[in-house]
Amino acid sequence: AIFVAKNMKRPFSIKEILQFAVEKEHESQELYQALAAQVGNPDAKSLFKEFVIQEKKHEDLYKNMLANIDEYQHINDLDEYMSYMHELINTSHPESGTSSVAHMKCLSDILDYAVLREKESVLFYVGLRDYVSAPYQAQVDAIIKEEVQHIVQLSGLKKAI
């Protein structure tokens, strides 16, 4: 089933939204792998390697949800939700990923970029959380908590450099 909200040119199904979450986590893995290889700072390198592992777990959780989601589940406040998700998907940085940080040499800029990506993820997952069934809400909550922790760790590293 594809849900259409008012004034939307492109509707999204719940499966498409979960697929976007899978893609976001995969992009984050690639980003952190590239950053781990790129940076010389051993603390940053270690943190980025740890994030690769966590983002892979997140991707696997979203893939599991995607494989088991009830595509026809009822979504309350559909117009509001679809407008919110449409905005988040369409304003996500198209330059996200490894190519956008390859030119960055300053660790501070790299960390700022990583924090921005994590904040986008948190916003997206907070929106998603209320529209998956109860068993998945706890998993999304756990992912949100880890993404928030990433922001804290990245910000702490930036203050330490």
Side-chain angles (χ1 to χ4, degrees), residues 52-160:
V52 169
I53 295 165
Q54 292 175 0
E55 301 294 0
K56 174 64 176 149
K57 289 178 185 173
H58 299 169
E59 179 186 10
D60 290 343
L61 285 170
Y62 283 123
K63 281 182 177 178
N64 181 55
M65 285 182 215
L66 185 59
N68 295 295
I69 195 75
D70 176 5
E71 189 172 357
Y72 301 101
Q73 80 180 56
H74 179 68
I75 297 179
N76 294 325
D77 302 319
L78 181 61
D79 285 348
E80 179 183 341
Y81 170 70
M82 295 309 280
S83 294
Y84 174 73
M85 296 311 277
H86 189 266
E87 184 65 21
L88 285 176
I89 289 171
N90 288 330
T91 60
S92 183
H93 292 285
E95 72 280 359
S96 293
T98 56
S99 62
S100 61
V101 295
H103 69 278
M104 292 183 189
K105 301 298 177 204
C106 175
L107 182 56
S108 179
D109 291 343
I110 290 170
L111 293 171
D112 285 343
Y113 177 78
V115 165
L116 177 65
R117 293 246 335 165
E118 294 293 342
K119 286 179 179 178
E120 285 182 349
S121 293
V122 168
L123 284 173
F124 184 78
Y125 301 147
V126 164
L128 174 64
R129 184 216 178 271
D130 290 335
Y131 299 97
V132 295
S133 57
Y136 296 124
Q137 287 179 350
Q139 292 176 359
V140 174
D141 285 341
I143 291 171
I144 291 168
K145 186 175 182 177
E146 283 191 0
E147 301 290 7
V148 168
Q149 189 58 37
H150 291 177
I151 295 168
V152 170
Q153 290 173 292
L154 290 163
S155 299
L157 182 58
K158 183 176 178 186
K159 289 176 186 172

Side-chain angles (χ1 to χ4, degrees), residues 4-18:
V4 182
K6 292 180 205 169
N7 302 321
M8 281 185 50
K9 293 179 182 169
R10 182 176 175 342
F12 296 104
S13 71
I14 191 70
K15 285 194 174 206
E16 287 175 306
I17 292 166
L18 284 170

Side-chain angles (χ1 to χ4, degrees), residues 25-26 28-33 36 45-61 143 146-147 150:
E25 293 299 336
H26 186 76
S28 293
Q29 284 174 67
E30 290 180 344
L31 172 68
Y32 290 126
Q33 284 173 336
K45 187 177 291 290
S46 176
L47 188 62
F48 293 148
K49 286 180 179 180
E50 180 184 328
F51 286 179
V52 169
I53 295 165
Q54 292 175 0
E55 301 294 0
K56 174 64 176 149
K57 289 178 185 173
H58 299 169
E59 179 186 10
D60 290 343
L61 285 170
I143 291 171
E146 283 191 0
E147 301 290 7
H150 291 177

